[in-house]
Each structure stands twice: as C-alpha cells, then as structure tokens.
Amino acid sequence: MELLMLFFVAVIPVISGEHLKVSGSHKPVSASVGEDVTLNCSVDSHITPEHIEEVSWKKKVKGGNIVVLLYQNNETLSDSSDERYRDRVEFFTAEIPKGNFSLRLKSVRTEDKGVYMCQVFAGGLSANATVVLKRLGFSVSHVLVLILCISASGSALLLCFLIYCRSHDKINAKGFLVQHYHNQNFLGSSMVLPCYCIPSESLKVEWRRTDSETLVLLYQNGQESRQQDYHDRAHFITDQIQHGNFSLCLENLTAKDEGEYSCRVYSDQDCVYSSETNLTMWFEVEQSCEMLVPLGSSVVLPCYADKHLKDKSLKVEWRRKDPEKLVHLYQDGKSQQQKDYCDRVNFFTNQFQHGNFSLCLDNLRAEDAGQYTCTVYRNQTSVFSSETNLELKLQDTVFRLQMYLIFCPNMIMFFSFVLWGVIEGSLNESASCCALYFLRPLMLLWAAPYAHDFTGKTDKFIQKSSYDTEYIVLSTVFYSVLFKSALDKNLNYTGVEGVTIIFLFVIILLLNLIYIVLLLARLIWKISKQINTIFRVLARISFDILPSLQFLLLFFAFGSARSGFITVAVLPVFLTLTRYDWDHTCGKKMHCSLLLMRSVWFMLMLLVNAIMVYFYTIALGTEKDRIGWACMIAFLQLLWALINFTWSFEWDLHSIVLVYVFGSVGIVLLNSVTLMTELIFKTINGEGVVGDLRVVVFTSEFIFTLFLLVLLVFEPWIKPCLQSCKKAIRSSQTPAARLQNQDYQNVAGSDEIEMQTPLNKQNQTAGRREAPDSVVSQA
C-alpha cells in the first residue's frame, strides 16, 4: 500500500504535465572585492510562483551548509540569513512572478567565494541548481590594507631604532634637565634667584614679576636698569655676567616681594632661556628653570645663602636623598666626596664670601637625576638649607619621536582595521579592534618611561585617568556591539527578556556617561569642589556596580538568565574584597606585611577574574565567535583589576623600557603581521588562519597589561633589584677607572667618603671655573 502511494506521488505530476526545473549559471561567476554580483536561479515550471513553497540559497562550507537567503510562503525572510550575509543579499522582487529567484550579493568579500546552491520546493517536488563564485584577486582596498600594515610595522621599527637602538652616548648627549630650587630666607635678608645662559655679546635679560608684569631688572647693551620699587635692592652679580650668570640678587626683602618672578634671556629677539621662580610667604623660594645640558657636560646645583655668612667655621654639606648618601662635604678647609662622585663635584670656595655654596657637578650622567639638599652649619647648628631636584628630560626631538612612536603606528593600525571591517571583517571584530587601537595611546603614555615629562592637566590625566578612560570607552563599545547582537536575535526573546536587556543596556550607558562627564569636567570646565566631589562619588559607585550589571546583561542577551543568581549572590562578595582599601586597613592599622598583603590581593584578583571569565564563556557557549568575545572580556577584566589596584594601594609605576617597547612596538608588529596573513589567506583560500582577529589583538594586549599589573603590585621589590643590577653593570664597565682612582683616593669610614686634595689644590681648580655656571664648561 505504501509503495502504491509513493508511485502516485511520483507519477501523477508527470502524467498531469507538471514538472520542476531549476537552472543556474553554467560558467563560474567572477567579481572584484567590493562589487555587487548576481547569482542566477530560474524556475521553469507550470506551477505558479504563488504555489512555490520555499526557495533557499545556501553556501557549502565545511561541516554542512549555511543559509544565505530564504523565500517562504511568498515572503523573503532576511532574518534567517547567516550573520555574515545579513543585509548583503536580496532577491529581485519584480522578477519573482516570472520565476526568477536570482540572488544579488552586495559588497563581495574574499570569503564569499565558493559553491552556492539554489533549492526550490513546490507541490511535493524539489529541484536545485548550483552556482560557483570563483576565486577573487586582490582589490585596491586589500592593497591599501597591506600598505597600512607595512607602514605601521615599519614606522614602529624605525622610530624604535631612532630612539633606543642607536649609540647610548648619542642618545644621552641630548637631554634636558629641570631644576627645582628650594630656598628659605627671612625679612630683611637677601636672596639670589638663579638665571644662567650661554654668554654672548647681544644678550638681553629681563627679570619680571609675572603676577603683575612689572619689570624688576633689565640688562641690555651692557647696561642695567630697574624698576623704582627695586632701586638699590635688585642687581646682577656684575663680575659674573661675562660668564653667563644673570642671577637676580634681591636685598632687604620685604613682604611686598612675595610673588612670582621670571627670567627671560633673548638673543636677536629669540628667547633662548627661561626660568620661573615662586617667592612665597616667609620667602620660601621654588624656582624651576629649563636649560639644555648635554649629558657628559657640567651643571650647577644652586645654593645661595645670606652673604653675611662669612664665618670660617662654616660646614657645607650636599646630600642626595634617593638613595640617601653624602655627595660633597666642605669642613675645616678640606673637601670630602662620595665615591660615585669622585672628581666630578666641586665647590666655588672663592664665592663662599658672597653666600654662594653652589655645587658644580661635572660629567653629568643619567643616574645623577634625583633630589639634592644643601645644608650650611655653624657650630654644628643648621643655619641655612636649600633643595634642588635634578630631573632628566627628553630633548624636543627625542620627545617628538616618542610621541610619533605612541600615536603613528597605532593610528595607522586603527585605519587598517576600519578598512578591514569594510571589506572583510565582521562588525564585532572590526569595531572592537578599532576601538582598542584608538585607545591604545592612553595606556602607552601611562606606561612610558617619560610619563612625568608632561605637566599640568595633561600629566594629571595621564597619571590618574588614562587607564580609567580606556576601560570605560572600550566597555561602552563592547556592550554596544553586544546589544546589537542581542537585537539581531530578538525573535528568541520573550517580551520581559527584551525589555530587561534594553533596560540593562541603558543603565550601563548612563553609568559610563557619568564618568565621561566627570572626565570632561576635569579637563575642560572649572567646577566647584562640591560638584567635583559629587561626580567622583557617582563615578566610584558606577565603577563598583558596572561588572555586576554587565554580567547580567551578557547572560540575558545570550539566553542564560538562569545563571543570574550567581551574579547577584556571589559576584558582589568577591568584588567587595577586591575593592577593599588594603593599604589603609591591612597596612596602616593591622601592620600587615607589604609583600604578603599585595601577594594575597594579586592571587585573589586572579581568582575572581578567572571565575568571571569562566561564566562569561559559559554564556557565550553557543556563539560562533565566542573565542573572540572571551579574549576581549579577559582583557577588560584585567584592565578592571589594574584600576582596582590603583584604588586599593599606594603605587608608583616603575616604567621598564623593555615592557614599554613590547607594548609600543612588539604588539603592533604582531598584529600587523597577523592582519596581513589573514588577508592573504582569505584572498587565496577564501578562509583565514585565525578566523577572528580579536583572538590575537586582545590576547597580546592582555599580556602587555598583565606586565604592567605585575610591575605595579611588586614595584617595592622590583625597583631596588633593578637599581642594584644597574649599579653592578656600571661597576663592571669601569674597572680600569676604579683601579686608577685607588692610587690617590683614601676611603674613609663606612659611608664611603673619600678625602680629596687639599684646599689649595681645589682653589686651583676653582680658579678655572670662577663662575657657578654649567654653561662655562659647555662653551
């Protein structure tokens, strides 16, 4: 009976004259990347189109077929298309009544090549036809991506070579030193405000009150002139002008002298030197000057006291604070020097009578940067002190090269991923990688060895808000793409789930917006302290609850809301432990070991983030690109952990050039090569090697951020070890110099103080450098 029924089903349509025939293209179809192409499919049948039950276009891939476009019950179902073809395929609607179900494929990609099948079902009949889209070559867009990738890697290597791979002496010979001079005098006494430059016949020197633009003292054409209020009180040290010393000597100090002073030196109308001095109440002076002092030359650390300090029993001591050591000592007509400064430091003993106790430091080295203190004693009692902070800064040329290294390769890679997203990549992949490369300079600036060279709001932003900003903006992009994916699947959600997803997404955006408003308020607007406090509290609350809300959104969006209990019940407990003020409670109150405290925090943070990433992965278990999502989530969690550390502990990031170079050069090289490889394999084989570029991009960024977190956590132990290694290397590099010095040096005591030549020999040396000015030896 069953055989008879099958016979009637198969034979009756033929007897009645009904047949179904589907034809496609006999020859392979070709097209360039970015163009539109038509895949032909014609139905030859006596069955009218209204009675055609289904027409489906599918592409043959490994493991089966994927739906390209579906026509069912006289309606085109675009939502049934695979996400890689969604919004890129359509039927010719006007041709459907004629039995023409040809497919238009827009913006062809290299991955589109392959075999496509048009299958038709009608009245119990079925037929199909295949169309081959043959291998596609490189387009102009592909060539542009390759050029951009080569430019990014090439610029990173070139800039790294120009900055780090040249001779060490050549790099160190171009440095800036900033001196912060601190002094303290009293009413009625005198004060010297330092100002030095290279001597020249056509110099013009102006001392002004910057708060009122009042001219204090002017030197031009060999003549001095001064403002009336400073008559007989302000003057240059006349015999020092020829050596480029234009320091201002201000006598008989009064309360009105408090304020800001500036020294400007002009040569042919161009300012060649400038310094700023702040004279505060009780005449505490903070003076910052900037001059070009090549490493290997000399610099003067200023120390000017009241000129009436002429007692022969004076003791002058220069010390360095970090590390604590005696640099140079003058007492009873003899000088003593610390071993590391042997033959490199000298006093101007013939200037003691003028209150000049400045220290001349010869053969300047990079490791000389630090804070120095000058103390003058009379009868074992301190009568005067001043502080000088010697900082190594990059020369403008080197600093610009560093800025190019930070921005150029990353911006080039940003545009590479933008173009990649247009011609090849998916929305999730391209948007995430573009956002990361647009924000990468923030993290690199924070981790750079020269981060403290910035000033003002720029410095505050880099030190306190760069990593926060990257986390907030990247999270916004991440959950925006996630929300788009959730909306594409809205047919799978009930009304309550759909409303919940939208509500959570809006809340997350608002919380991110609070931080962005706070950031803009700090950088652009001037807001009151009270409003700033309110925004800071709101931003902190936002940061605390964001992980939980993001976790819930992910589970709801991907159909795993049943696991939301874990988020609500367990996650806040872990997050509270990681946000704990460990330094204040465990360190200062309970006197916990610093190593133990930071190690426990580090292990706890790794555990919490591992748990969160695990549950994220479970929620993404049904997604095709779940590995890419997981890599991005892991990076965001690590970035969140880094921010947590900065709130829980007192920290000082010890920048290491090797880590910085890996972040600025190594990652760019790796990702550019990966992108080029993916593009070439997709063009040749139709399929890439990696599949999702987020796997490589965010994994490499995760490693870089992990290095920074380790440096933060273990900085108290890493920094001394590195300093010891550097000192050992320096010692091993100069054995001959040490042997030569032992012939005439006499080590005294455990402080490693070495007795120098008698005072009369030092005076001979001082006679060759009468002026306390670093530019003398430079000239």
Side-chain angles (χ1 to χ4, degrees), residues 341-370:
Y341 295 91
C342 179
D343 289 339
R344 295 202 302 127
V345 290
N346 291 282
F347 284 123
F348 306 99
T349 52
N350 59 340
Q351 296 293 320
F352 280 6
Q353 59 181 334
H354 302 298
N356 182 2
F357 302 101
S358 301
L359 182 72
C360 182
L361 178 57
D362 296 329
N363 190 20
L364 194 63
R365 303 170 182 171
E367 56 267 23
D368 291 333

Short mmCIF file of all heavy atoms in Angstrom, two decimals, residues 341-370:
data_model
loop_
_atom_site.label_atom_id
_atom_site.label_comp_id
_atom_site.label_asym_id
_atom_site.label_seq_id
_atom_site.Cartn_x
_atom_site.Cartn_y
_atom_site.Cartn_z
N TYR A 341 80.91 60.13 43.14
CA TYR A 341 81.06 61.48 42.61
C TYR A 341 82.53 61.93 42.61
O TYR A 341 82.81 63.12 42.50
CB TYR A 341 80.23 62.46 43.44
CG TYR A 341 78.75 62.22 43.33
CD1 TYR A 341 78.10 61.37 44.23
CD2 TYR A 341 78.00 62.80 42.32
CE1 TYR A 341 76.74 61.13 44.13
CE2 TYR A 341 76.65 62.56 42.21
CZ TYR A 341 76.02 61.73 43.12
OH TYR A 341 74.67 61.50 43.00
N CYS A 342 83.43 60.99 42.74
CA CYS A 342 84.85 61.32 42.79
C CYS A 342 85.27 62.08 41.55
O CYS A 342 84.99 61.67 40.42
CB CYS A 342 85.66 60.04 42.95
SG CYS A 342 87.43 60.32 42.99
N ASP A 343 85.95 63.21 41.75
CA ASP A 343 86.47 64.05 40.66
C ASP A 343 85.36 64.64 39.79
O ASP A 343 85.63 65.12 38.70
CB ASP A 343 87.43 63.26 39.76
CG ASP A 343 88.74 62.97 40.45
OD1 ASP A 343 89.06 63.69 41.42
OD2 ASP A 343 89.43 62.03 40.03
N ARG A 344 84.13 64.59 40.28
CA ARG A 344 83.03 65.14 39.47
C ARG A 344 82.32 66.31 40.15
O ARG A 344 81.47 66.94 39.52
CB ARG A 344 82.01 64.05 39.14
CG ARG A 344 82.55 62.95 38.25
CD ARG A 344 81.44 62.22 37.52
NE ARG A 344 80.46 61.62 38.43
CZ ARG A 344 79.14 61.82 38.36
NH1 ARG A 344 78.66 62.64 37.46
NH2 ARG A 344 78.33 61.22 39.20
N VAL A 345 82.59 66.57 41.43
CA VAL A 345 81.90 67.65 42.13
C VAL A 345 82.93 68.61 42.73
O VAL A 345 84.00 68.20 43.20
CB VAL A 345 80.98 67.10 43.24
CG1 VAL A 345 79.79 66.39 42.65
CG2 VAL A 345 81.74 66.16 44.17
N ASN A 346 82.58 69.90 42.72
CA ASN A 346 83.46 70.93 43.26
C ASN A 346 82.64 72.08 43.81
O ASN A 346 81.55 72.39 43.31
CB ASN A 346 84.40 71.48 42.17
CG ASN A 346 85.42 70.46 41.72
OD1 ASN A 346 86.42 70.23 42.39
ND2 ASN A 346 85.17 69.85 40.57
N PHE A 347 83.17 72.73 44.86
CA PHE A 347 82.61 73.97 45.37
C PHE A 347 83.32 75.15 44.71
O PHE A 347 84.42 75.01 44.15
CB PHE A 347 82.80 74.08 46.89
CG PHE A 347 81.86 73.23 47.68
CD1 PHE A 347 82.35 72.29 48.57
CD2 PHE A 347 80.50 73.38 47.56
CE1 PHE A 347 81.49 71.49 49.30
CE2 PHE A 347 79.63 72.60 48.29
CZ PHE A 347 80.12 71.65 49.17
N PHE A 348 82.68 76.31 44.77
CA PHE A 348 83.31 77.56 44.37
C PHE A 348 83.75 78.27 45.65
O PHE A 348 83.08 79.18 46.14
CB PHE A 348 82.34 78.42 43.57
CG PHE A 348 81.75 77.70 42.40
CD1 PHE A 348 80.48 77.13 42.48
CD2 PHE A 348 82.46 77.56 41.22
CE1 PHE A 348 79.94 76.47 41.41
CE2 PHE A 348 81.91 76.89 40.14
CZ PHE A 348 80.65 76.34 40.22
N THR A 349 84.85 77.80 46.21
CA THR A 349 85.26 78.28 47.54
C THR A 349 85.53 79.78 47.56
O THR A 349 85.35 80.43 48.60
CB THR A 349 86.51 77.52 48.01
OG1 THR A 349 87.51 77.58 46.99
CG2 THR A 349 86.16 76.06 48.27
N ASN A 350 85.96 80.33 46.43
CA ASN A 350 86.21 81.77 46.41
C ASN A 350 84.92 82.58 46.40
O ASN A 350 84.94 83.81 46.46
CB ASN A 350 87.08 82.14 45.21
CG ASN A 350 86.43 81.75 43.90
OD1 ASN A 350 85.53 80.90 43.87
ND2 ASN A 350 86.88 82.36 42.82
N GLN A 351 83.76 81.88 46.28
CA GLN A 351 82.48 82.56 46.30
C GLN A 351 81.75 82.41 47.63
O GLN A 351 80.63 82.91 47.79
CB GLN A 351 81.59 82.01 45.17
CG GLN A 351 82.12 82.27 43.77
CD GLN A 351 82.10 83.74 43.43
OE1 GLN A 351 81.15 84.46 43.76
NE2 GLN A 351 83.16 84.20 42.78
N PHE A 352 82.37 81.69 48.59
CA PHE A 352 81.71 81.50 49.88
C PHE A 352 81.42 82.84 50.55
O PHE A 352 80.41 83.01 51.23
CB PHE A 352 82.59 80.65 50.80
CG PHE A 352 82.50 79.16 50.51
CD1 PHE A 352 81.78 78.69 49.42
CD2 PHE A 352 83.12 78.24 51.33
CE1 PHE A 352 81.69 77.34 49.15
CE2 PHE A 352 83.04 76.89 51.07
CZ PHE A 352 82.34 76.43 49.98
N GLN A 353 82.33 83.81 50.35
CA GLN A 353 82.15 85.11 50.99
C GLN A 353 80.92 85.84 50.48
O GLN A 353 80.42 86.76 51.12
CB GLN A 353 83.40 85.96 50.76
CG GLN A 353 83.71 86.19 49.28
CD GLN A 353 84.95 87.02 49.08
OE1 GLN A 353 85.32 87.80 49.96
NE2 GLN A 353 85.62 86.84 47.94
N HIS A 354 80.44 85.46 49.29
CA HIS A 354 79.23 86.06 48.73
C HIS A 354 77.99 85.22 49.03
O HIS A 354 76.92 85.49 48.48
CB HIS A 354 79.37 86.22 47.22
CG HIS A 354 80.54 87.07 46.81
ND1 HIS A 354 80.67 88.40 47.16
CD2 HIS A 354 81.65 86.75 46.10
CE1 HIS A 354 81.79 88.88 46.67
NE2 HIS A 354 82.43 87.89 46.02
N GLY A 355 78.13 84.20 49.86
CA GLY A 355 76.99 83.34 50.18
C GLY A 355 76.67 82.31 49.11
O GLY A 355 75.57 81.77 49.06
N ASN A 356 77.63 82.04 48.23
CA ASN A 356 77.43 81.10 47.13
C ASN A 356 78.02 79.75 47.52
O ASN A 356 79.23 79.57 47.51
CB ASN A 356 78.08 81.63 45.86
CG ASN A 356 77.86 80.70 44.68
OD1 ASN A 356 77.19 79.67 44.79
ND2 ASN A 356 78.41 81.07 43.54
N PHE A 357 77.16 78.80 47.85
CA PHE A 357 77.60 77.45 48.23
C PHE A 357 77.16 76.43 47.17
O PHE A 357 76.93 75.26 47.47
CB PHE A 357 77.03 77.06 49.59
CG PHE A 357 77.42 78.01 50.69
CD1 PHE A 357 76.53 78.98 51.15
CD2 PHE A 357 78.68 77.95 51.26
CE1 PHE A 357 76.90 79.84 52.15
CE2 PHE A 357 79.05 78.83 52.26
CZ PHE A 357 78.16 79.78 52.71
N SER A 358 77.01 76.90 45.92
CA SER A 358 76.55 76.04 44.83
C SER A 358 77.56 74.92 44.57
O SER A 358 78.74 75.04 44.85
CB SER A 358 76.36 76.86 43.56
OG SER A 358 75.41 77.90 43.78
N LEU A 359 77.03 73.84 44.01
CA LEU A 359 77.84 72.66 43.72
C LEU A 359 77.91 72.47 42.22
O LEU A 359 76.89 72.44 41.53
CB LEU A 359 77.22 71.42 44.37
CG LEU A 359 77.99 70.10 44.19
CD1 LEU A 359 79.26 70.12 45.03
CD2 LEU A 359 77.11 68.92 44.57
N CYS A 360 79.12 72.36 41.70
CA CYS A 360 79.32 72.11 40.27
C CYS A 360 79.48 70.60 40.07
O CYS A 360 80.38 69.98 40.64
CB CYS A 360 80.54 72.85 39.76
SG CYS A 360 80.83 72.61 37.99
N LEU A 361 78.60 70.02 39.28
CA LEU A 361 78.61 68.59 39.01
C LEU A 361 79.08 68.37 37.57
O LEU A 361 78.39 68.77 36.61
CB LEU A 361 77.21 68.00 39.21
CG LEU A 361 77.02 66.50 38.92
CD1 LEU A 361 77.96 65.67 39.76
CD2 LEU A 361 75.57 66.10 39.17
N ASP A 362 80.25 67.77 37.43
CA ASP A 362 80.84 67.54 36.10
C ASP A 362 80.47 66.15 35.58
O ASP A 362 80.01 65.29 36.32
CB ASP A 362 82.37 67.65 36.18
CG ASP A 362 82.84 69.04 36.55
OD1 ASP A 362 82.13 70.01 36.19
OD2 ASP A 362 83.87 69.17 37.23
N ASN A 363 80.70 65.97 34.27
CA ASN A 363 80.48 64.68 33.63
C ASN A 363 79.11 64.11 33.98
O ASN A 363 78.96 63.02 34.52
CB ASN A 363 81.58 63.69 34.02
CG ASN A 363 81.54 62.41 33.19
OD1 ASN A 363 80.97 62.39 32.10
ND2 ASN A 363 82.13 61.36 33.70
N LEU A 364 78.09 64.90 33.66
CA LEU A 364 76.72 64.58 34.04
C LEU A 364 76.28 63.24 33.48
O LEU A 364 76.50 62.94 32.30
CB LEU A 364 75.79 65.69 33.54
CG LEU A 364 74.38 65.71 34.11
CD1 LEU A 364 74.40 65.94 35.60
CD2 LEU A 364 73.57 66.80 33.41
N ARG A 365 75.64 62.41 34.34
CA ARG A 365 75.15 61.10 33.95
C ARG A 365 73.64 61.03 34.14
O ARG A 365 73.08 61.80 34.90
CB ARG A 365 75.81 60.01 34.80
CG ARG A 365 77.33 59.99 34.74
CD ARG A 365 77.89 59.05 35.77
NE ARG A 365 79.36 59.03 35.81
CZ ARG A 365 80.06 58.40 36.74
NH1 ARG A 365 79.44 57.72 37.70
NH2 ARG A 365 81.38 58.44 36.70
N ALA A 366 73.04 60.06 33.47
CA ALA A 366 71.59 59.89 33.60
C ALA A 366 71.20 59.52 35.02
O ALA A 366 70.17 59.94 35.54
CB ALA A 366 71.09 58.83 32.62
N GLU A 367 72.06 58.72 35.70
CA GLU A 367 71.73 58.29 37.06
C GLU A 367 71.90 59.39 38.09
O GLU A 367 71.58 59.19 39.27
CB GLU A 367 72.58 57.08 37.45
CG GLU A 367 74.08 57.28 37.36
CD GLU A 367 74.63 56.84 36.02
OE1 GLU A 367 73.84 56.78 35.04
OE2 GLU A 367 75.83 56.54 35.95
N ASP A 368 72.41 60.57 37.68
CA ASP A 368 72.55 61.69 38.62
C ASP A 368 71.22 62.35 38.93
O ASP A 368 71.13 63.17 39.84
CB ASP A 368 73.52 62.75 38.06
CG ASP A 368 74.95 62.24 38.02
OD1 ASP A 368 75.28 61.37 38.84
OD2 ASP A 368 75.74 62.72 37.18
N ALA A 369 70.19 62.02 38.14
CA ALA A 369 68.88 62.61 38.39
C ALA A 369 68.40 62.23 39.79
O ALA A 369 68.49 61.08 40.20
CB ALA A 369 67.88 62.15 37.34
N GLY A 370 67.88 63.20 40.51
CA GLY A 370 67.40 62.96 41.87
C GLY A 370 67.31 64.26 42.66
O GLY A 370 67.51 65.36 42.13
#
